[in-house]
Amino acid sequence: MAGFLLRRLGSLAFVLWAMTVLVFAIVHLLPGSVAHMILGEYATNEAIATLEAKLGLNDPLPVQYWRWFSGLLGGDFGQSLTMERPAGPVILEALGRSAVLAGVSIVLVAVIGVSLGIHSAVHKGSATDRALTLGQYFFIAVPEFFWCILVILFFAVWLGWLPATGYTPIADGGVTGWAKHLVLPVSTLVLGLIAHVSRLTRSSMLEAIESRYVLAARAKGLPERLVLRRHALPNALLPTITVLAVDIGILIGGIVVVESVFAYPGLGRMLVYAIDNQDLPLMMGGMIVITAVYALANLAADILYAVLNPRIRVGGTAA
Amino acid sequence: MADAPPLLDVRGLSLGYATARGTVRALDGVTLAIRRGAAMGLVGESGSGKSSVVLALLGLLGKEAALAADRLDFAGEDLRVAAPRLRGLRIGTVFQDPAAALNPALRIGLQVAEPLVQHRGLSARAAHGRAVELLAEMGIPRAAAVAQAYPHQLSGGMKQRAVIATALACEPELLLLDEPTTALDVTVEAQILDLLERLRAERGVSMLLVSHNLGIVDRLCDGLTVLYAGRVVESGATEALLAAPRHPYTRGLLAALPRADRGRIGRLAPIPGSLPDLTRPDPGCNFRPRCPFAAAGCEAPQALHPLDARHVACHRAEMLHDAAWPAPDAAAADRVPLGGTLLEVADLARGFRLGRGLFRRQAEVRAVDGVSFSLRRGEVLGLVGESGCGKSTLGRLVLRLIAADRGSIRFDGSPVPAMPPDGFRRRAQIVFQNPDTSLNPRQTVDVALRRPLERFGLAHGAAATREVERLLDLVRLTPAYRPRYPHQMSGGEKQRIGIARALASRPDFLVCDEAVSALDVSVQAAVLNLLEDLRDTLGVAYLFISHDIGVVSHIADRIAVMYRGAIVEEGPAAAVLAPPYHPYTGALLSAVPVVGARGRAAARTRLKGDVSSAPTEGGCRFAHRCPAERGTVCRTQAPPVQQAGPGHAIACHIPVAELARAPAALAVAE
Amino acid sequence: MSGAAGAATPARRRLPRTLVIGLVIVGVIALLAALGPWIAPHDPDAFAMRMRLRPPSLARPFGTDEFGRDVFSRVLAGAHYSLLMGFGATAISLAIGVPLGLLAALHRGWVEEVIMRGVDLMISLPPVLLGLLILAVTEPGLFKTILAVGLVYVPIMTRLARAVALELLAENFVEAARARGEGAWHILAREIMPNAWPPLIVETALRITFAILLGSALSFLGLGPQPPASEWGLMIAESRPFIAEAPWIGLAPGLCLCLLLIAVNVAGEGLRDLLDPRLRGRGHG
């Protein structure tokens, strides 16, 4: 187990480093001058030269990379080009707000998705199962940004129950005000993912229910509830964990879209802002932070998988 | 005694599955009774419905199964009502593959203790304590530690012992055993059979043993019921029934069985044809289309009727009392005499690394470790050994299908390089175990057989078509098979195509890797006969790899016994099958369940553990399991190769004279 | 006997209903996309300021937008974007990913190591991020979006192709081919590929849904085709300021997009039912 952790941490560090190289390379090696890109088509040569000097763009690329990378290691993301602030704190604040969105969503997805999947599998062929299967087709296929439009139209415009966009810190609006701004973004984020998770949980649960060891458990005379809970469920949940890890990637994509639509000041919206305004330090920093979060989430899923799977957790032979 | 009601009383059990093709009649009027303390064997080939019986008794058939029975009683209670209450408590069950039957996510102790908590109301703690005791009673060393382990940490034999412990936890009156040893190696199988025999003697538990293996049933059961395509064809006392079978199917089954104790006999007698279509059950005898004795009256329904202290479902059984099962076709021609040396293998070795990565130590398994042998033209060398001994790896090394770490191969006098020339490829071919994966599912028979002809420039166009038809004829199939895809053929037919493909390039040498192991006995006999005919007429030499000693002793001229990557004994078949032999050979032979060998108990040698138990560095690789181990010499020094007779070599420290005093493992005490 | 005879004339497998329904809808959308320029009742880009924000009517079935453009004509003209992104991007991921995966499977050793470590790396980025990264630093446009989405799914295709090929390489019939001394090319073309394409094609079909989703999401964020293009994601993004007064501007392309996605998804599921090897050979054993 210790070796497993060490290996995974090692590969995590490697992925993050490779990501810094990739981000840097794509930004700096693609055709076109960075300064030109920032200042736009009609910039004077003088202005470009000034900016290039200011940004250190005349230095050799490895030097520039090292300056940026060593800054990152020390927590310095550079100066935002458009906000007149260091990029680091901007990114951190946004990250915190996105983390709330993502955390609430992933918990809901896991709880609701897994429960629905298990229910479908246990009652295979029932009306609920068929309705859920049909729902899954639908919800997996509807893009988040269109959901955003629909829920805004329905809940904010027509019913007027919830605010369409924006964000209120707890300090200003209290818990209710803060939570009200979360309801719509979270619900659009989770719909597709719940469909995805419940569908795969259903199939892994069905596989477990049809396994030999569940047959053996029934032959022992255990009541069906115990057979399902103790024998089928732990084995069915293992593939679900892998699915949840994949879905974190999809969730990050959803957050970028949903934050933009709901004007929720998180990391995704910040990233789109940085791209639109060519704020390179903000953009590069944002991407590195998102990759790091994603890699950590995957690591957590791997650890959870290992903890729940005795074949990884306990090695060796006993007799 | 005879009036006491049976513990299990099944009458007219029928079972239908609704499928897209119609209702499959899996069981049709099965009648079966087990007295208290008796053991009944339920025997049949695949498709006979024998496993469905177990599920029907337990009430664990799926919703799509329609069950009907005149009587389905256990100790006077109707199982259709009472099964959920009785299973686990008064009926214990052991399923086929212990690796699949144990829950990978739960500790062994919990799984053994579960029925105790459920049915006996024991506390978790008390149940766990009892589970440890049960594991120990099943012969598991360090039972307390094993109870804390997960299934993947145990060997196959230990897993099956744990499953049996679970089945016995609540001291049931009846034990249902569904192919309990089929997934296990023969020496481990012998240990489990010993255990079951002991449990029966000590606890008086009744058993229903479902198996395809007549030898196992003969060892364990006093009663025998033979199932064919969902119907009972014969039922009675095991000994009498096996000594003089009366139903044509039972007779055919025994005639088709290759037996280690009989050694080489002429040809086996296969049963022609295949299982009837269960969606259209024949109201008459359903064995009729395959029966050599079929006559008028067979189209009428056949009821089980008493005859010679048994029940037979054949109206001609009495008439046929003296009629012999038709003798198999005699060998097609006199056997081509053995020629000069064809293949010479010296010091072949290959290791595999287990796991890799920066932080993990790389362990190496020496799958084949310095093997030498030679083979003459037209000769059959049988290679036996348990799973993981390296026999399949050796077969592939010899064909240069996997790279060897060291060693040399000479074929027909010239060395075979790592990338062999087409000449060698043409002359040395392979037949695989599993007919389902040995043929490309997207190629017709014609394409599969034509390719080797074109590849080696042997025939093209119309000539190739004629050649394909000749090959089909060689394996006893008609040209109508040319356009068929693998999924349109039965297992036996697919295996014949696999053989025909290997023969297409007119090879001198075939590696047969468990070539008949996946087939039912009746089909296996036909394929074995075919292989023998080809050897006799074409003079093809075989390296015949098999875990089934009965099959090998039937076909091989010489036998090599392999253990953990090395050949421990090699010699003429008859010499290897009788003392003196290597202690491992002795144990292997005495482990083979043989039909009609009840008196063999005296000669049993049992091995401790299994192949994966503690490795030995240096010394004899069998020392840690050897029943005749001689202390440090065996554990530290490589055994010398002793000559035990002409061409008979044994790698052992024990002098040949002493080895010769070992009891004959296969001899039947009369 | 009967088993073989019964199997010799296999009942022609009926096409799953889901596959037929999905393909018909996708086909109709593709046809409309192809015929769009000829059958559109109005010029999709023509401003008509006097016709601004008209609700749907018989003459203008989807109403008009803030510039008085006919939404129906615009939706029609934009259909090809989603189809191109879905099928184009998937084709790219297939064209790059499958050869890489096969190469890795056939050349165990350092070739495999390099390819698979690269794949691991690419897969450790969230999909949207990879797309954003590629699009962020270059001028956006349809073909760059297609390329970006395609690249995002390359590693998934590589992994799948390698896994499928490795599984097949371990089969006895491939070993039999090697025992005949067949070359790598023959083994790939005659033994591996005929058996590998069903799982690959099923995955491809399901990928198309994700490619359309990701492509339209990137367009929605302004990183795809640029105005005045009537890409559906972009149209939805542009409709946002008018959501209260003229919801049809966003609903029309959104519902069309949903219809397309569900149809592709349903067809993919149908294809899986038809080709999944686990369902194969049923009714024989």
Side-chain angles (χ1 to χ4, degrees):
Chain A
M1 191 70 191
F4 165 81
L5 263 182
L6 215 60
R7 268 201 313 281
R8 294 289 290 115
L9 280 173
S11 76
L12 184 130
F14 175 75
V15 162
L16 287 182
W17 170 77
M19 184 63 186
T20 63
V21 175
L22 192 66
V23 168
F24 186 85
I26 289 185
V27 170
H28 286 84
L29 293 183
L30 282 176
S33 134
V34 173
H36 208 108
M37 205 163 69
I38 294 167
L39 294 174
E41 258 177 273
Y42 307 108
T44 59
N45 288 341
E46 200 177 321
I48 287 175
T50 320
L51 186 67
E52 280 183 341
K54 181 185 163 200
L55 297 177
L57 291 173
N58 297 322
D59 295 332
L61 281 180
V63 174
Q64 290 186 48
Y65 171 73
W66 177 248
R67 189 161 55 224
W68 178 62
F69 182 68
S70 55
L72 281 184
L73 288 181
D76 175 12
F77 288 80
Q79 190 77 13
S80 161
L81 297 180
T82 56
M83 299 176 120
E84 305 294 323
R85 280 179 69 187
V90 176
I91 292 173
L92 271 186
E93 282 166 28
L95 173 67
R97 287 189 286 259
S98 286
V100 171
L101 210 54
V104 173
S105 300
I106 202 74
V107 168
L108 285 177
V109 167
V111 172
I112 300 176
V114 168
S115 326
L116 289 181
I118 290 170
H119 185 89
S120 274
V122 172
H123 301 100
K124 184 189 169 191
S126 68
T128 4
D129 176 36
R130 283 202 299 262
L132 283 171
T133 307
L134 211 64
Q136 285 155 2
Y137 268 124
F138 183 71
F139 285 104
I140 286 178
V142 177
E144 277 117 352
F145 58 87
F146 188 55
W147 271 130
C148 300
I149 302 291
L150 289 181
V151 296
I152 289 178
L153 195 60
F154 200 71
F155 291 102
V157 177
W158 290 347
L159 295 174
W161 288 353
L162 293 158
T165 59
Y167 173 78
T168 315
I170 296 184
D172 299 350
V175 176
T176 344
W178 168 80
K180 268 188 174 174
H181 280 102
L182 281 177
V183 174
L184 290 186
V186 166
S187 36
T188 42
L189 274 176
V190 298
L191 282 173
L193 295 181
I194 286 175
H196 190 222
V197 168
S198 65
R199 185 155 130 186
L200 290 161
T201 304
R202 177 181 183 272
S203 69
S204 63
M205 187 70 182
L206 275 181
E207 198 175 305
I209 288 175
E210 282 155 16
S211 72
R212 276 318 254 193
Y213 54 80
V214 162
L215 183 67
R218 286 179 178 150
K220 284 182 197 174
L222 301 183
E224 190 64 14
R225 259 191 44 245
L226 192 63
V227 170
L228 293 176
R229 202 188 58 207
R230 187 188 279 166
H231 287 268
L233 193 56
N235 293 292
L237 282 182
L238 284 177
T240 304
I241 293 169
T242 315
V243 173
L244 278 173
V246 171
D247 280 359
I248 291 173
I250 303 178
L251 181 68
I252 289 175
I255 282 180
V256 173
V257 170
V258 166
E259 286 185 351
S260 303
V261 181
F262 289 101
Y264 185 92
L267 208 50
R269 186 165 177 250
M270 185 209 83
L271 200 60
V272 175
Y273 166 87
I275 290 170
D276 282 347
N277 295 286
Q278 297 296 343
D279 192 335
L280 288 183
L282 208 55
M283 181 183 94
M284 290 160 75
M287 290 201 168
I288 297 295
V289 167
I290 291 179
T291 312
V293 169
Y294 184 54
L296 282 171
N298 267 308
L299 177 65
D302 277 3
I303 291 173
L304 190 63
Y305 189 91
V307 166
L308 290 180
N309 187 352
R311 271 165 290 195
I312 296 182
R313 182 179 35 146
V314 193
T317 53
Chain B
M1 185 64 192
D3 295 326
L7 179 66
L8 183 71
D9 192 0
V10 178
R11 291 188 205 169
L13 173 63
S14 293
L15 180 61
Y17 287 104
T19 70
R21 291 189 304 137
T23 304
V24 171
R25 193 84 180 220
L27 294 176
D28 195 357
V30 169
T31 294
L32 187 75
I34 302 179
R35 283 178 294 107
R36 258 176 213 284
M40 169 68 80
L42 187 61
V43 166
E45 296 182 286
S46 47
S48 64
K50 55 191 188 300
S51 291
S52 303
V53 173
V54 171
L55 295 181
L57 294 178
L58 290 169
L60 288 176
L61 290 161
K63 283 176 214 148
E64 64 282 0
L67 181 134
D70 300 330
R71 183 175 283 186
L72 198 62
D73 284 1
F74 173 83
E77 290 193 78
D78 190 341
L79 279 170
R80 277 165 289 195
V81 181
R85 186 161 44 79
L86 297 175
R87 56 185 188 230
L89 174 63
R90 295 175 67 186
I91 303 177
T93 313
V94 175
F95 287 111
Q96 176 168 357
D97 181 3
L102 287 169
N103 192 326
L106 302 177
R107 292 180 195 276
I108 296 289
L110 174 75
Q111 301 195 47
V112 177
E114 258 181 337
L116 292 165
V117 176
Q118 180 64 35
H119 301 296
R120 295 251 186 264
L122 262 60
S123 70
R125 219 185 137 89
H128 185 265
R130 178 71 192 120
V132 173
E133 284 172 31
L134 276 164
L135 289 170
E137 286 165 33
M138 298 307 128
I140 293 183
R142 300 190 298 118
V146 168
Q148 294 298 325
Y150 287 95
H152 72 275
Q153 296 171 283
L154 304 186
S155 66
M158 286 300 149
K159 280 189 210 134
Q160 195 61 307
R161 282 169 200 267
V163 171
I164 295 172
T166 314
L168 290 173
C170 295
E171 296 176 12
E173 291 132 274
L174 177 66
L175 204 50
L176 304 178
L177 303 157
D178 185 2
E179 301 269 8
T181 58
T182 304
L184 306 173
D185 270 323
V186 65
T187 60
V188 181
E189 170 180 82
Q191 296 166 3
I192 297 293
L193 293 178
D194 288 348
L195 171 67
L196 291 171
E197 206 168 35
R198 201 190 82 212
L199 291 170
R200 213 193 130 197
E202 289 174 1
R203 305 186 176 214
V205 58
S206 309
M207 293 181 180
L208 176 67
L209 172 68
V210 173
S211 181
H212 69 285
N213 188 328
L214 284 167
I216 290 175
V217 172
D218 191 24
R219 251 205 70 188
L220 230 50
C221 303
D222 30 37
L224 171 60
T225 299
V226 182
L227 212 54
Y228 177 75
R231 296 182 189 167
V232 174
V233 294
E234 189 165 3
S235 169
T238 310
E239 216 163 338
L241 208 153
L242 289 178
R246 300 306 295 273
H247 192 282
Y249 175 65
T250 324
R251 292 177 175 212
L253 215 49
L254 279 160
L257 190 67
R259 296 170 60 163
D261 55 330
R262 300 252 171 99
R264 290 183 77 153
I265 52 171
R267 293 290 188 266
L268 299 166
I271 304 175
S274 56
L275 275 185
D277 183 353
L278 293 174
T279 56
R280 277 167 294 172
D282 192 329
C285 171
N286 59 4
F287 185 60
R288 183 169 39 131
R290 303 175 69 184
C291 183
F293 307 121
C298 289
E299 68 284 349
Q302 305 290 316
L304 275 176
H305 62 273
L307 176 75
D308 291 352
R310 78 192 69 182
H311 288 81
V312 186
C314 174
H315 69 111
R316 304 198 68 209
E318 196 160 14
M319 238 180 300
L320 295 169
H321 193 281
D322 297 315
W325 184 266
D329 301 336
D334 282 344
R335 186 172 172 185
V336 173
L338 296 192
T341 302
L342 179 66
L343 179 76
E344 256 184 301
V345 169
D347 196 29
L348 216 50
R350 168 69 195 225
F352 291 105
R353 277 179 301 183
L354 293 178
R356 5 172 244 177
L358 276 176
F359 301 95
R360 204 178 296 167
R361 206 166 58 91
Q362 298 196 346
E364 202 194 44
V365 177
R366 278 168 287 175
V368 172
D369 195 8
V371 166
S372 308
F373 67 86
S374 67
L375 190 65
R376 295 166 66 187
R377 282 173 190 278
E379 189 180 35
V380 178
L381 174 64
L383 187 60
V384 297
E386 294 174 283
S387 53
C389 74
K391 53 189 192 299
S392 284
T393 307
L394 179 60
R396 282 158 177 73
L397 282 175
V398 166
L399 291 180
R400 295 285 197 208
L401 286 177
I402 51 179
D405 294 339
R406 62 163 205 269
S408 68
I409 302 168
R410 294 180 74 82
F411 187 78
D412 206 7
S414 31
V416 181
M419 300 295 274
D422 278 359
F424 176 78
R425 290 284 181 226
R426 183 186 73 71
R427 297 179 59 187
Q429 280 292 317
I430 181 164
V431 179
F432 299 97
Q433 166 173 12
N434 190 340
D436 293 323
T437 70
S438 63
L439 300 180
N440 187 332
R442 306 242 163 212
Q443 286 179 358
T444 60
V445 167
D446 189 63
V447 171
L449 296 185
R450 199 176 280 267
R451 178 62 199 169
L453 301 172
E454 287 168 356
R455 165 85 183 84
F456 297 111
L458 300 172
H460 295 277
T465 307
R466 280 195 302 277
E467 184 65 11
V468 166
E469 288 177 358
R470 189 188 70 85
L471 286 165
L472 285 172
D473 185 52
L474 207 57
V475 294
R476 317 271 185 271
L477 294 174
T478 62
Y481 279 80
R482 271 179 47 212
R484 292 203 185 171
Y485 282 94
H487 72 269
Q488 296 169 320
M489 294 183 286
S490 72
E493 288 165 343
K494 279 185 264 191
Q495 197 64 334
R496 286 162 200 241
I497 300 298
I499 293 170
R501 180 183 59 193
L503 291 173
S505 58
R506 304 188 179 230
D508 309 309
F509 170 55
L510 277 189
V511 172
C512 296
D513 186 10
E514 303 275 9
V516 296
S517 304
L519 306 175
D520 272 318
V521 169
S522 59
V523 181
Q524 170 183 292
V527 175
L528 275 176
N529 285 351
L530 171 65
L531 286 170
E532 285 178 284
D533 287 346
L534 296 171
R535 171 199 65 191
D536 292 354
T537 52
L538 305 177
V540 182
Y542 300 141
L543 177 62
F544 197 93
I545 300 168
S546 181
H547 71 282
D548 186 333
I549 288 153
V551 168
V552 168
S553 63
H554 176 75
I555 196 171
D557 298 302
R558 285 189 301 135
I559 295 178
V561 181
M562 212 169 162
Y563 187 77
R564 297 187 76 167
I567 290 176
V568 295
E569 176 170 3
E570 197 221 321
V576 172
L577 294 173
Y581 29 53
H582 190 280
Y584 178 62
T585 314
L588 208 54
L589 293 178
S590 81
V592 178
V594 174
V595 173
R598 301 198 146 198
R600 223 153 53 100
R604 272 180 212 158
T605 357
R606 289 295 179 258
L607 298 181
K608 302 162 272 181
D610 58 26
V611 195
S612 63
S613 349
T616 323
E617 287 300 322
C620 173
R621 57 195 78 224
F622 183 58
H624 65 289
R625 290 179 76 199
C626 185
E629 191 231 348
R630 294 290 163 93
T632 38
V633 126
C634 289
R635 291 184 178 271
T636 53
Q637 287 177 35
V641 177
Q642 310 180 70
Q643 288 302 316
H648 183 195
I650 299 174
C652 186
H653 287 289
I654 304 170
V656 172
E658 212 169 308
L659 290 174
R661 287 200 289 275
L666 284 173
V668 181
E670 291 294 345
Chain C
M1 215 39 202
S2 61
T9 49
R12 193 161 286 277
R13 246 195 318 250
R14 282 198 19 221
L15 290 179
R17 214 170 353 145
T18 43
L19 179 61
V20 176
I21 295 172
L23 281 183
V24 166
I25 298 176
V26 175
V28 168
I29 294 176
L31 198 68
L32 290 176
L35 298 178
W38 290 278
I39 58 172
H42 301 272
D43 180 350
D45 296 332
F47 287 14
M49 297 316 268
R50 285 181 310 156
M51 293 286 293
R52 289 182 72 233
L53 303 178
R54 292 284 166 89
S57 63
L58 270 181
R60 309 247 174 191
F62 293 168
T64 63
D65 68 4
E66 71 274 25
F67 299 116
R69 294 177 295 193
D70 179 40
V71 176
F72 178 71
S73 301
R74 288 183 64 71
V75 166
L76 209 53
H80 70 281
Y81 287 109
S82 292
L83 289 169
L84 280 177
M85 286 192 296
F87 287 86
T90 310
I92 289 175
S93 63
L94 205 62
I96 302 176
V98 171
L100 278 179
L102 294 178
L103 196 66
L106 285 175
H107 290 269
R108 323 282 328 248
W110 69 267
V111 175
E112 181 190 31
E113 199 67 16
V114 167
I115 292 175
M116 294 325 286
R117 290 301 80 75
V119 162
D120 285 350
L121 195 65
M122 278 179 81
I123 254 170
S124 53
L125 304 178
V128 153
L129 212 59
L130 201 57
L132 283 181
L133 187 62
I134 295 167
L135 295 173
V137 286
T138 56
E139 281 296 314
L142 173 65
F143 290 102
K144 278 191 194 119
T145 316
I146 292 176
L147 189 68
V149 174
L151 286 178
V152 165
Y153 293 125
V154 163
I156 294 170
M157 280 299 176
T158 308
R159 272 191 178 177
L160 180 71
R162 172 174 168 274
V164 169
L166 281 183
E167 206 173 288
L168 287 169
L169 279 170
E171 297 270 1
N172 289 147
F173 63 80
V174 174
E175 228 174 345
R178 291 178 43 229
R180 288 197 302 271
E182 304 282 10
W185 180 247
H186 174 93
I187 289 179
L188 195 63
R190 302 287 296 276
E191 310 285 349
I192 303 280
M193 278 325 283
N195 292 291
W197 71 261
L200 288 176
I201 216 76
V202 167
E203 178 66 23
T204 303
L206 298 176
R207 272 299 128 207
I208 294 173
T209 314
F210 288 99
I212 296 175
L213 272 173
L214 182 55
S216 57
L218 289 171
S219 300
F220 177 85
L221 293 172
L223 299 169
Q226 295 299 298
S230 56
E231 200 283 329
W232 293 345
L234 181 65
M235 283 178 75
I236 295 169
E238 289 174 332
S239 79
R240 280 158 59 201
F242 309 98
I243 185 164
E245 34 179 333
W248 55 84
I249 311 179
L251 287 180
L255 291 174
C256 290
L257 185 55
C258 289
L259 183 68
L260 174 63
L261 283 163
I262 291 172
V264 172
N265 203 18
V266 165
E269 293 288 336
L271 204 57
R272 189 211 291 268
D273 288 346
L274 184 70
L275 295 176
D276 193 316
R278 274 171 303 176
L279 300 176
R280 257 175 185 283
R282 273 218 182 147
H284 182 68

